[in-house]
Structures are given as structure tokens and as C-alpha cells.
Amino acid sequence: MALHEILNLVWINIKENKTKVLLTSLGIIVGAATIVIVIAIGLGGQKDVQDQFKNLNAGTITIADNSGSSSSFGRGGFPGGGMPGSSGRSGGGGGFPGGMMGGMMGGVQQIKKTTFTEEDLEELSWFIPNLAQITLLVNGSSDVEGGTLEDSLSSTIAGVTTDYADITNLELLQGQFFTDTDNEDMERVAVLGYDAAVSIFENVSDAYNSVININSKKYTVIGVLSETGSTVSDITLDSAIFVPYNSAVKYVLGSSNATPKIIAVADDVNQMETTISDIETLLAELYPKGSFTVSDAGSQVAASQQSANTMSILLIAVASVVFVVGGIGIMNVLFVSVKERTREIGILKALGSSRKDILLQFLLEANFISILGGIIGVAAGYLIMPVVRLSGMSVVASNTAAIIALFFAIFTGTVFGFYPAWQAACLKPIEALNHE
Amino acid sequence: MEPLLMLNHINKSYSLGNEKVQVLFDINLHVYPGEFIAILGPSGSGKSTLMNIIGCMDTADDGEFFLSGEAVHQADDAKMTRIRNQHIGFIFQRYQLIPKYDVLQNTIMPLLIRGVSHKEAVQTATEKLTLLGMGQRLHHKPSELSGGQQQRVSIARALVGNPAILLADEPTGALDSKTGQDVLQLFQELNDLGNTILMITHDPGVGKKAQKIVRIVDGHLYQNNEQLLS
């Protein structure tokens, strides 16, 4: 029998059973919609990760104090070792014993957090040649007043050195970033993240050259950052206020509470492992009692992407279950349909319909139901997406998702439609004809 | 003249649990082109089984069966399916029309199955339906027709493929006697036009309309009355 004639019979059947077809395809509709949304959420998650890290150089290394406790004397011992190190290569070795001495002394003293200093930066950049740029970062929260604010606003204050702007690829919308001199002189200048500028001044262009109060001290706004949407070392760039490191330590966060991090950028990204272990060795020499986390941006990005991927896989697993349930629904209805239409099948067989024709007829019917369900489901998925977006989740629509959903729909229809269709094809004509 | 249909020493039995029940015993039957034969027998005589074997919907245990020169007893399922489509026109007691297809769609099915183009199938079917007085009802569903009309559609469907033999199983069984007489009259006319007809019935009054009556009793076929009486 010609294929288009079989399709015509399928069409006659479907027209006769519109409601049943629609109800049967419901499982597939839900499955396809789920796939479309799930992939959109997965892609949204990946895009979030990319956005989050777009300001982060792949060679960025963050060094953070992990113990929250180390010796102030350990730190005190360090300059003794560090000074010769800065005077010449041969003296570099001399830096270690001094540090060790200090560390040992510190061990018997009371426990205190490690506070990295600019000397640490010098030490690191001297001994580890692969570090191109290095900065200190200290952050905390402080009350901010000024601009159009009626009440004080609690904001993230980040004390950084000049290299920070390069390391995190900051772009300035207005003004400039502070200089090394500003840091050395503990100038009270500030660079505002975009959102911070908006919340304080409403109009971003009003920010430049204005004065704000941070912790009741006046700071001149010398720059405003472009909007980035990214987060670097736990700091949301857009909502932060950047001040020179020394000013932050002195005026804002207080030297005792500050737990600075060191952020460095490696020149050669291929030597990250060696560089990290060099840093760890050096830190162990400098602060024998300290415990530090040295992490690189590449592995952070990889970890975040990994978790976004895990999420996608999980969601796709859920969608697959929905499809299986939908497929079983199709199978069920087709079984019932084969039962109901046993006589019709008997008649067709008596008239000489081959097994293949009958198999095809039922299989194409299952396919029709699943394709219909797939198309409606994909459309529904696109309609639901804005609703999902309202919940704050990032969703990224993609044609690939639609194609995958359709493919799965057809696949499900074929797989679950096959057995009932085969059953129909194998009916014995006499028995089928005499079926009540 | 070669017989159109030839059954030689056909036996058929069924298994009922452990018991084997023989339904047909050494059946021999020859049907020549243009004949109108009635197989007459009470229920339980094995006439339905014989009908199924002749209709290529069941197979005999042994014996030979030729239809239009094809050795049906050696045919596999696919070949039997093709023979049904090409050589046999079925007319059933309960018409066996597909309820959701209209009259025309029902009638063209044997041709579509054979692979004839839709246009040609519609043309042939329309001719046959018109011949049988159903030309005005092409797009009615079977449920919108009377029993007699449905049987006419079923006869049109049987004729449309130009089969070697029309196989009618109790064709008047579901009809009132007046309509039944009309259908038998129609069979007579079709036979006059050269169609070979094999009709199975339990009703001697219906059987009388055929040229020749063959009786089946308890699985044995009797070609003439003397044999039956003896």
C-alpha cells in the first residue's frame, strides 16, 4: 500500500479521535516543554558562569588565609627574611630562614589572623617570576552616606592596590583608577562600581568628583566603573566601592579585622600548577603556622561550569523520566486502540493488508501523536520561558533545544508505539474479524 | 476446463486442551469459472472452518488447495495475504465495513492495498457502487445506511478488485427476508455477468438460489443428495 494512502488512513483515524489524540500527546507535550526549558535553564546557568568570570583573567590566582588564625609574630619575623631577598638573587635564600624564625617564634605566641602586607607582595613577585601582577585586596562592609542618599547605605568596601584594575580588567566609565601614590599616601579617594554609583547618586554622571562619606570620613569619587555583572574573589564589582588598600586598612576596615587576600596574575597559564605549588612553598616558609588557600581562576571557572553542567544533566534526567511516562501513556492508548480496532484490523487483513501496512499505520499514528505533542510542547516551552525568567533564573532559548525535544518526542513515539503496532500487525484475521 | 478452485483431501483439526478435534474430513471440491455454488450446512458442521480455509485466512492440516493456479497449501502468510487481496472477494454476514470510513473509502480499500492509484481506485469503486445502486451514497458512513445498503457496499468492495471468486458467508443472515431476497437476486445477476460465487449458508431456502448445492455435515462434504442420504 502506498505510503501516502497509509498516511491518509492515519489522518482519518486522527480526525475521528481528536480528543483522544490530544490527551495522549499530553505526556509528550509536557516532556518536550520540560526539555526546552531545562536546556534553556542549563544554558542560562552556563551563561551566568561565563558572565560571572568574564572579568577574571584565566591566570588569576587568589591567595586567602584559610586558618583565620596565625601568628602576628610570624608576620613580624618576615621582614627580616624579606629584606635581603629584595636586595639580590643570592639574598633570596636568606629570606626563608628569617621567615621561618619568625614563624617558629609566632608558634608560641597568641593566635591571630595573618594580615598580608605589601612586603608579602614584593616577596612573592621576587621569588615567583611567573607572577606578572599582584595586588592586595581587603574587603568588608561599611556605611556610606552622600549623594542623594537620605539614610546611610551599607556597602561593600574593597581596599585594593593599583594592579587590581588591570587584574580584573576593570573598565572606567568616568574618571580614573587610583595610583600607587594614592595608596602610599593613604589618599581618601574612591572608585564606585556602577550599581553603587546608581544607588548613591541616582544619576551616574553626578558621581564623578563628588564627595561621599565612608565610615564618616570624606572620600572624593575619582572614577565610576562600567557595568560588568561579574564577581571576582567574592566581590560583586558593580555594587562595590573601591578605595586604596592602605586607606581601607587605616580608615575603613581597621587593621585588626582586615583579612586581606592576595590576588596575582600568572604570566604563563600553562605553568599554573608549578606556580601554585611555589606560592604554597613560599607561604609555608613565610608563615609556618598559617594555612592558605591558593586557587586559580581557571579551576574556579571549571568548577562552576562543572556544577552548572551537573545541574543540566540532572534536569535532563528529570525530562527523560517525563518522556518515558509520556511514552508509556502513548503505549497504553495504542494498546486500547488496537483492542478497540481489532475488527477493523481483521477487515483490513481479510482484504489483504500486509503486516507491514498495518504496522506502519499504527506506528505512524503514534508518530503523529508524538510529533504533535513535540511541536505543542516546544511552543509551550517557549511560552513558559518568560515566566521562568520572572523567577530570576537565567534562561537562554536555543534552537538546538527545540530540535532535541522534537527528536526525543518522535523517538519516544516510535519506541513506545512499536509494540502495540506490532501486536496489531500480528493479529490473526479470523480472530480479529470475529472480535466483538 | 480447469477448475478455478480445487480442494483435494483437505483435513483440518483443532486442539482443545489435550484433545484433538477433527473438524474437516477429506474435503474434495472443485469450482469452475462461472459457477454459483452454495455450501449448505447446520451450525457446527465445519462450514465456517471450510470458509476460512477457502478464504485463505486459515490453513489446512494436509491436502492440496489451488486457487487460480496458485498452490495455497504451500503459501506462507505473506503470500496468503496477497492471494486474499487479488483473488478473493469477501462478502460477510455482518458486512464488515470499517465504521469511520465512508462508503467510497471502504470500497476502494482492496485496490489501495493492491497499490492501485487513488484516482483509478475511486473510478472503479464508483462504477461498482453505481452498478449496485449506491452511487448516491458515496460519502455516507456505514452507520447512516440500512443493512441492505451496507451489504451492497460490501458486495461492491468484494467486486472492485475483480477477484477470481466471490466468497459469501451467510450474506443474508443479518437481513430481513425481503432484503435478503434482493441480495440473492443481486447474486444471481452477478453470476449471470460471469462472476464465480461460492456461498455458505445454513438456510436451505437461500441455498436453493444457487446453481449447485454442496452439503456439509459433521465435517464431511457431500456433493449430491444421494451421498447425503446413503
Side-chain angles (χ1 to χ4, degrees):
Chain A
M1 200 167 170
L3 186 65
H4 66 272
E5 294 297 344
I6 296 180
L7 284 172
N8 185 37
L9 298 184
V10 169
W11 183 238
I12 292 175
N13 265 308
I14 282 161
K15 273 196 303 192
E16 290 284 316
N17 295 299
K18 288 187 205 87
T19 318
K20 198 160 83 182
V21 166
L22 204 66
L23 286 175
T24 311
S25 60
L26 212 55
I28 299 298
I29 293 176
V30 173
T34 312
I35 287 253
V36 168
I37 291 172
V38 151
I39 293 179
I41 292 174
L43 289 176
Q46 278 169 355
K47 187 175 165 284
D48 276 354
V49 171
Q50 278 164 14
D51 283 353
Q52 205 174 35
F53 289 103
K54 75 171 180 232
N55 279 50
L56 200 55
N57 195 314
T60 306
I61 296 170
T62 307
I63 305 165
D65 176 24
N66 199 25
S67 60
S69 59
S70 184
S71 158
S72 58
F73 275 79
R75 194 161 59 86
F78 154 71
M83 295 315 272
S86 56
S87 60
R89 201 77 178 99
S90 58
F96 288 93
M100 269 170 79
M101 282 288 281
M104 278 155 71
M105 283 163 69
V108 290
Q109 296 294 322
Q110 72 197 68
I111 287 163
K112 209 181 168 197
K113 286 176 184 169
T114 305
T115 303
F116 292 120
T117 62
E118 285 184 301
E119 284 86 354
D120 291 328
L121 299 189
E122 283 172 23
E123 198 79 1
L124 282 165
S125 53
W126 175 256
F127 285 108
I128 300 162
N130 192 25
L131 296 181
Q133 289 167 311
I134 190 157
T135 181
L136 278 168
L137 164 70
V138 61
N139 63 296
S141 172
S142 213
D143 286 342
V144 176
E145 291 162 340
T148 59
L149 287 176
E150 290 181 4
D151 298 312
S152 65
L153 173 80
S154 179
S155 289
T156 302
I157 310 295
V160 295
T161 54
T162 313
D163 274 356
Y164 183 83
D166 283 338
I167 290 173
T168 52
N169 305 319
L170 294 183
E171 277 173 29
L172 282 129
L173 192 66
Q174 279 185 316
Q176 70 278 323
F177 211 72
F178 37 79
T179 61
D180 285 334
T181 322
D182 290 333
N183 187 34
E184 279 159 28
D185 298 348
M186 287 185 251
E187 291 288 353
R188 297 218 290 260
V189 289
V191 173
L192 304 184
Y194 186 85
D195 290 347
V198 171
S199 27
I200 297 169
F201 292 98
E202 283 176 7
N203 195 346
V204 178
S205 53
D206 294 344
Y208 182 65
N209 248 343
S210 302
V211 174
I212 56 171
N213 286 330
I214 302 173
N215 219 5
S216 308
K217 292 201 163 55
K218 291 190 186 324
Y219 284 75
T220 308
V221 177
I222 59 165
V224 177
L225 300 178
S226 306
E227 202 169 3
T228 76
S230 73
T231 301
V232 179
S233 303
D234 300 334
I235 292 172
T236 309
L237 298 179
D238 285 343
S239 59
I241 297 174
F242 298 92
V243 297
Y245 178 78
N246 288 335
S247 312
V249 171
K250 183 166 184 204
Y251 302 116
V252 186
L253 304 164
S255 55
S256 54
N257 296 326
T259 55
K261 291 174 188 165
I262 294 174
I263 298 176
V265 176
D267 247 349
D268 186 353
V269 185
N270 298 321
Q271 289 183 23
M272 292 306 277
E273 277 183 40
T274 330
T275 308
I276 288 170
S277 74
D278 284 351
I279 292 171
E280 283 167 346
T281 313
L282 183 60
L283 287 172
E285 296 282 351
L286 296 177
Y287 302 97
K289 290 287 166 187
S291 160
F292 303 96
T293 310
V294 182
S295 56
D296 66 303
S299 55
Q300 277 177 42
V301 174
S304 300
Q305 264 165 356
Q306 183 63 44
S307 68
N309 287 343
T310 309
M311 178 78 169
S312 304
I313 290 167
L314 192 78
L315 291 171
I316 285 172
V318 171
S320 308
V321 171
V322 175
F323 260 117
V324 170
V325 173
I328 292 171
I330 289 194
M331 189 156 73
N332 242 326
V333 172
L334 283 181
F335 272 133
V336 174
S337 182
V338 169
K339 263 253 152 14
E340 280 175 358
R341 286 159 63 188
T342 301
R343 247 178 75 188
E344 172 190 332
I345 297 163
I347 295 166
L348 290 174
K349 291 208 121 186
L351 297 179
S353 267
S354 65
R355 281 187 186 186
K356 192 190 97 203
D357 287 354
I358 290 169
L359 181 82
L360 262 181
Q361 196 187 326
F362 276 82
L363 205 53
L364 287 172
E365 211 173 302
N367 274 333
F368 180 90
I369 294 172
S370 57
I371 291 172
L372 180 80
I375 291 171
I376 298 178
V378 168
Y382 275 92
L383 288 177
I384 295 168
M385 247 180 250
V387 181
V388 176
R389 204 170 276 136
L390 281 183
S391 77
M393 250 188 275
S394 312
V395 286
V396 177
S398 75
N399 292 334
T400 322
I403 291 165
I404 290 175
L406 269 182
F407 170 79
F408 265 103
I410 296 166
F411 178 77
T412 311
T414 311
V415 166
F416 287 93
F418 190 84
Y419 186 56
W422 178 248
Q423 221 187 25
C426 291
L427 283 175
K428 290 210 162 34
I430 312 163
E431 287 164 23
L433 266 181
N434 296 327
H435 186 86
E436 289 306 316
Chain B
M1 190 164 47
E2 277 289 302
L4 193 68
L5 180 150
M6 191 157 58
L7 294 173
N8 295 328
H9 309 294
I10 293 288
N11 287 291
K12 177 73 183 175
S13 54
Y14 291 112
S15 300
L16 279 176
N18 293 329
E19 215 178 338
K20 204 173 171 198
V21 181
Q22 186 149 6
V23 196
L24 296 177
F25 299 87
D26 194 35
I27 302 288
N28 294 286
L29 178 68
H30 292 188
V31 178
Y32 291 89
E35 278 192 308
F36 181 5
I37 298 179
I39 297 179
L40 188 62
S43 64
S45 59
K47 64 180 193 306
S48 288
T49 305
L50 181 59
M51 162 86 183
N52 289 337
I53 289 173
I54 294 173
C56 297
M57 295 202 284
D58 202 354
T59 49
D61 296 345
D62 49 34
E64 292 177 332
F65 171 22
F66 294 93
L67 181 62
S68 298
E70 304 216 46
V72 181
H73 57 281
Q74 290 170 340
D76 59 6
D77 184 68
K79 190 176 177 190
M80 299 235 301
T81 304
R82 182 180 59 75
I83 292 171
R84 281 203 295 277
N85 180 245
Q86 294 185 344
H87 299 312
I88 300 169
F90 285 104
I91 297 155
F92 299 99
Q93 178 178 5
R94 291 187 301 170
Y95 333 123
Q96 303 287 24
L97 300 174
I98 294 172
K100 63 192 155 222
Y101 297 173
D102 63 18
V103 164
L104 187 62
Q105 184 70 31
N106 265 295
T107 312
I108 61 177
M109 282 313 291
L111 293 176
L112 295 183
I113 290 167
R114 201 182 283 187
V116 172
S117 78
H118 196 93
K119 196 178 159 199
E120 200 184 325
V122 167
Q123 199 182 348
T124 315
T126 311
E127 278 170 24
K128 300 293 180 195
L129 285 165
T130 309
L131 179 76
L132 292 166
M134 296 300 296
Q136 304 302 310
R137 301 265 193 282
L138 296 184
H139 297 292
H140 286 62
K141 293 279 173 69
S143 57
E144 296 161 350
L145 303 176
S146 70
Q149 288 172 322
Q150 289 188 57
Q151 195 56 300
R152 281 166 187 269
V153 175
S154 133
I155 293 168
R157 183 181 64 186
L159 286 169
V160 81
N162 212 9
I165 189 164
L166 289 175
L167 199 54
D169 181 11
E170 300 279 10
T172 60
L175 302 172
D176 62 69
S177 63
K178 167 76 175 63
T179 318
Q181 288 304 316
D182 291 349
V183 167
L184 289 174
Q185 180 59 40
L186 195 56
F187 275 29
Q188 192 59 61
E189 288 163 17
L190 290 172
N191 181 236
D192 292 343
L193 288 170
N195 291 288
T196 310
I197 302 174
L198 189 58
M199 178 171 73
I200 291 187
T201 180
H202 70 284
D203 184 347
V206 171
K208 261 190 338 210
K209 298 283 176 182
Q211 281 172 359
K212 183 173 157 189
I213 296 176
V214 173
R215 290 171 196 274
I216 181 166
V217 180
D218 293 335
H220 296 272
L221 202 66
Y222 301 96
Q223 303 276 352
N224 52 57
N225 290 348
E226 291 86 63
Q227 264 178 308
L228 179 66
L229 295 171
S230 64

